[in-house]
Amino acid sequence: NNMLVWQRTAFHFQPTKNWMNDPNGPLFYKGWYHFFYQYNPKGAVWDDLVWGHAVSKDMINWLHLPLAMVADKWYDINGVWTGSATILKDGSIVMLYTGITKEMYQVQNVAYPADPSDPLLINWVKSSANPVLVPPAGIDMQDFRDPTTAWSTPNGNWRFTIGSKINKTGISLVYETKDFVNFTLLDQWLHQVPDTGMWECMDLYPVSLTDMNGLDTSVTGNALAIKHVLKASLQDVKVDYYALGSYDIEKNVWTPDDPKLDVGSELRYDYGKFYASKTFYDQNKQRRLLWSWTGESDSEDADIMKGWASLQAIPRVVLFDNKTKTNLLQWPVEEVESLRSNKKEFNNLKLAAGSVLPLDVAKTAQLDIIADFEVDKGALEGVMEADVGYNCPTSNGASGRNALGPFGLLVLANDGRSEQTAVYFYISKGKDGNLKTFICTDLSRSSKATDVSKEIYGGIVPVLDNEKLSVRILVDHSIVEAFAQGGRTCITSRVYPTEAIGGAARVFLFNNATGTGVTATSVKIWEMEPAMMKSYPGL
Ligand code: FRU
């Protein structure tokens, strides 16, 4: 089926075929970025998981390598599940991962590069001490998985956390080790939140409050200079929630800055299709990078027909937002910009209330767009509406008109716009005069296919006084990633157009507000060249 061919991406990471899910053990070693991932070598559905492996100089162009680890030991015979890399003080690598035993227990295992002098790290050895951890007393044998990168303690030991649950309380257990052979479970949990269910794929890392560099996972200390981010992937709702707080290494507890903004309540990495993410510290460019699984939202039958399922989102640099001080910023790695070509720029395009404006750009499904908007000043001051409790998923999408929104872009649109993916801002000004700005992606018209999810994603985005509204959008055939206000709020969507594909995909601006004109003060659009994807000889 030719239509399905168009869904493969040109610059996102995906294996040549079959199923992929979580990112595993990302790291930088001897000049190469390594990426491992949950992979089913036998088909396009979640099953028989092992570790796929690829390397890159820039996380955009990839060389696919042989499987790093397969299910060949009693302690991982039913699955080589998610894990993380730790780089020790001497530069050597320890991989911690979850194995599914022959009795279906979740246990933790250790693996090492077989040949540390090989920059491609092709071969891996599993530790003779495996399994190094089994579920402790009180923890269900199937609620014990996804060890994080370890951080060092003042006495030279290493600690890492593993997500779990007790009844409906999500918890994070912490283990300490000197040698990755013997481990002690600490009495003190790192953190717990009632009613959040199983915590998968935990992450704990420091962010600097002042500079733009990332921090090594082991950095602790001065509370005036850093915060610690705690992230859990909530199995029940399939959302990656994070919170900002502080980590007390003496007591081994993480505490949220604001109990109302604890893990599982408010802050998400992404409001769309984005799960089981994992950060790592890139010592090559002193930045913290975030990888995430972006699953399909079509049917399993379609995936089987395509012969593949899932993408990884473009890796993002993660920083503390030192303007709002309430959230992280996430931004696509600069390396993706190497694919930009044929830039078009538009300035001061006026969008009257209720208008749609086609943009004179190449028709293509591979784009990088940066658009800035300004709402007419008078309207912003004049209009007052009842605070209707706007909420992207339930508030009528791109066609639900109100005084100050929606306005934004239509991507992957066909000529008649019977197919379109809308990425838009919506401002609500309550009777109290307070402004709230939302960023949403509306998939209700993204495809004529009937077996795909057509949700409306999105949430609130902080906007400071005198800031323009700004959104960056990466478009790559079947994925649309939106980053509002420099990455304060992000939305990743999977879309399956049937007509707005390849050379038929257009871009429009629109303003569906009833009470204001909007100016697109600047719109920059680049076509994106395809990335290079190669396979190791013999694959
Ligand atoms: C998250 C997850 C992990 C597990 C892995 C198995 O998507 O369920 O908890 O280790 O996927 O593939």
Side-chain angles (χ1 to χ4, degrees):
N1 187 330
N2 196 28
M3 221 164 71
L4 300 180
V5 173
W6 284 108
Q7 297 175 9
R8 275 194 79 83
T9 60
F11 59 93
H12 281 75
F13 181 83
Q14 57 184 134
T16 56
K17 57 176 192 236
N18 297 329
W19 169 272
M20 166 174 72
N21 54 296
D22 311 358
N24 290 161
L27 60 94
F28 180 81
Y29 188 70
K30 292 191 190 293
W32 292 92
Y33 290 97
H34 287 258
F35 185 69
F36 306 86
Y37 53 91
Q38 289 286 281
Y39 183 60
N40 175 5
K42 297 178 191 157
V45 296
W46 183 89
D47 208 353
D48 294 314
L49 292 153
V50 301
W51 276 36
H53 184 193
V55 287
S56 173
K57 290 277 175 187
D58 55 11
M59 290 172 291
I60 300 297
N61 301 288
W62 291 96
L63 176 65
H64 291 291
L65 296 179
L67 298 177
M69 291 196 277
V70 298
D72 57 2
K73 299 283 196 275
W74 68 267
Y75 53 75
D76 62 12
I77 198 74
N78 281 308
V80 186
W81 281 17
T82 285
S84 307
T86 301
I87 301 187
L88 304 184
K89 299 274 145 76
D90 65 359
S92 63
I93 297 166
V94 180
M95 206 59 97
L96 278 162
Y97 74 95
T98 300
I100 309 300
T101 69
K102 60 182 194 313
E103 269 97 26
M104 302 305 282
Y105 272 75
Q106 298 181 353
V107 299
Q108 314 313 324
N109 302 310
V110 168
Y112 299 98
D115 175 9
S117 73
D118 170 18
L120 300 186
L121 299 173
I122 302 235
N123 294 309
W124 289 78
V125 237
K126 295 174 185 173
S127 166
S128 55
N130 288 345
V132 294
L133 295 172
V134 299
I139 296 295
D140 191 275
M141 68 184 216
Q142 297 193 339
D143 293 332
F144 185 59
R145 59 184 179 274
D146 312 331
T148 61
T149 295
W151 60 92
S152 58
T153 67
N155 63 2
N157 285 354
W158 293 90
R159 282 183 197 167
F160 55 93
T161 176
I162 298 181
S164 184
K165 72 170 191 311
I166 288 182
N167 300 320
K168 285 184 177 145
T169 299
I171 66 170
S172 47
L173 307 168
V174 179
Y175 287 87
E176 187 161 323
T177 182
K178 200 168 225 38
D179 51 14
F180 292 89
V181 175
N182 295 300
F183 298 78
T184 312
L185 174 61
L186 302 189
D187 294 334
Q188 177 65 50
W189 295 338
L190 181 66
H191 193 52
Q192 67 284 322
V193 180
D195 295 317
T196 51
M198 174 67 193
W199 285 3
E200 300 186 302
C201 302
M202 303 285 319
D203 205 357
L204 175 72
Y205 56 90
V207 287
S208 169
L209 301 190
T210 50
D211 48 82
M212 305 296 277
N213 284 344
L215 298 174
D216 183 278
T217 310
S218 291
V219 171
T220 53
N222 190 350
L224 297 174
I226 67 165
K227 285 185 192 296
H228 268 82
V229 177
L230 186 65
K231 186 277 287 191
S233 300
L234 269 53
Q235 181 178 25
D236 293 352
V237 288
K238 287 263 173 195
V239 173
D240 280 12
Y241 279 105
Y242 74 88
L244 297 164
S246 51
Y247 174 55
D248 180 336
I249 198 158
E250 299 302 326
K251 300 201 178 89
N252 189 50
V253 277
W254 177 90
T255 314
D257 287 348
D258 177 350
K260 290 192 295 298
L261 299 180
D262 205 342
V263 176
S265 58
E266 191 87 11
L267 297 168
R268 309 173 173 206
Y269 279 152
D270 196 288
Y271 284 80
K273 200 83 188 166
F274 193 94
Y275 191 65
S277 63
K278 180 181 298 302
T279 65
F280 76 106
Y281 177 65
D282 169 15
Q283 70 276 27
N284 182 39
K285 288 198 177 178
Q286 289 83 49
R287 54 191 174 168
R288 182 158 291 273
L289 299 177
L290 174 68
W291 275 105
S292 179
W293 172 35
T294 295
E296 300 297 319
S297 42
D298 60 356
S299 66
E300 195 166 283
D301 284 349
D303 294 345
I304 291 167
M305 212 142 66
K306 289 187 294 197
W308 60 272
S310 303
L311 307 173
Q312 299 293 329
I314 295 293
R316 303 173 178 177
V317 176
V318 177
L319 288 173
F320 176 71
D321 184 347
N322 59 21
K323 291 205 181 110
T324 62
K325 305 199 193 298
T326 57
N327 55 275
L328 295 172
L329 292 173
Q330 303 165 61
W331 199 245
V333 289
E334 61 186 4
E335 285 86 342
V336 76
E337 295 166 24
S338 68
L339 301 176
R340 287 173 170 176
S341 73
N342 295 333
K343 180 181 181 188
K344 288 260 180 124
E345 189 163 354
F346 308 88
N347 291 300
N348 294 316
L349 299 175
K350 303 271 181 218
L351 304 169
S355 66
V356 179
L357 183 70
L359 287 179
D360 179 20
V361 292
K363 293 187 182 182
T364 168
Q366 297 167 212
L367 295 169
D368 186 352
I369 303 171
I370 299 182
D372 295 342
F373 298 94
E374 257 174 16
V375 170
D376 290 356
K377 280 273 172 334
L380 216 45
E381 278 149 23
V383 174
M384 292 283 178
E385 29 186 61
D387 193 339
V388 288
Y390 193 79
N391 178 30
C392 302
T394 54
S395 296
N396 298 324
S399 55
R401 304 184 64 178
N402 220 318
L404 299 172
F407 55 87
L409 296 104
L410 306 174
V411 299
L412 294 173
N414 60 0
D415 283 325
R417 286 182 293 111
S418 55
E419 275 188 338
Q420 61 175 45
T421 293
V423 178
Y424 55 89
F425 289 101
Y426 182 100
I427 304 171
S428 85
K429 187 172 185 185
K431 286 252 187 288
D432 57 4
N434 287 341
L435 290 174
K436 274 191 211 154
T437 305
F438 297 81
I439 180 79
C440 323
T441 300
D442 178 356
L443 305 185
S444 51
R445 274 161 67 180
S446 61
S447 174
K448 292 194 174 163
T450 52
D451 64 338
V452 308
S453 151
K454 296 180 184 174
E455 283 174 76
I456 304 168
Y457 296 125
I460 212 158
V461 57
V463 180
L464 303 181
D465 285 349
N466 300 318
E467 282 185 346
K468 283 182 184 159
L469 298 180
S470 171
V471 65
R472 176 157 179 207
I473 308 174
L474 295 173
V475 178
D476 191 5
H477 297 270
S478 62
I479 183 169
V480 174
E481 289 154 284
F483 305 85
Q485 300 309 103
R488 289 180 191 147
T489 303
C490 308
I491 310 171
T492 299
S493 313
R494 297 302 311 282
V495 287
Y496 305 91
T498 61
E499 294 176 9
I501 57 178
R506 308 196 55 173
V507 180
F508 298 81
L509 297 176
F510 79 100
N511 173 15
N512 248 343
T514 54
T516 184
V518 171
T519 305
T521 52
S522 154
V523 181
K524 302 187 190 88
I525 305 191
W526 294 264
E527 294 172 44
M528 296 296 273
E529 300 290 339
M532 235 164 34
M533 305 281 172
K534 294 192 170 164
S535 290
Y536 192 70
L539 280 187

